[in-house]
Amino acid sequence: MTVDLEGPEPLYEQIAAILGARIADGTYAPRRRVPSEAAICDEFNVSRPTARAALQLLIQRGLIITVRGKGSFVVERASGGDDDPGEE
């Protein structure tokens, strides 16, 4: 997937959609790091604020978390039921 510079969608939304698709297809595994702002800037040829906005959108969607000093990581999704199997 590539970003459409001429399209109506903001670049950060397009980048977030691409990164979200990579999370969904397993390219970025749960509990593993996603690309840094600098890496996103390089890959998509965008400014740092655009890369930061894309990551913020993924945080808002609950797909990633950011750990200060370590980076951004894919959130581990709960599988199956909503109760802990150890609870009665």
Side-chain angles (χ1 to χ4, degrees):
M1 282 191 238
T2 60
V3 292
D4 180 7
L5 297 175
E6 303 300 320
E9 301 87 10
L11 288 175
Y12 75 93
E13 287 182 5
Q14 294 179 54
I15 293 167
I18 291 168
L19 297 176
R22 291 178 184 172
I23 291 169
D25 73 12
T27 300
Y28 304 138
R31 299 180 45 86
R32 295 295 166 242
R33 197 170 296 155
V34 295
S36 65
E37 288 177 8
I40 291 169
C41 292
D42 290 343
E43 179 178 351
F44 297 101
N45 197 26
V46 295
S47 67
R48 183 142 334 219
T50 300
R52 186 173 297 127
L55 291 174
Q56 279 300 122
L57 192 54
L58 292 175
I59 290 169
Q60 290 171 5
R61 292 178 178 168
L63 296 175
I64 65 170
I65 59 167
T66 297
V67 179
R68 189 175 192 91
K70 293 197 99 181
S72 297
F73 297 82
V74 176
V75 171
E76 187 168 18
R77 294 286 186 205
S79 59
D82 25 79
D83 290 334
D84 182 29
E87 292 183 14
E88 293 183 27

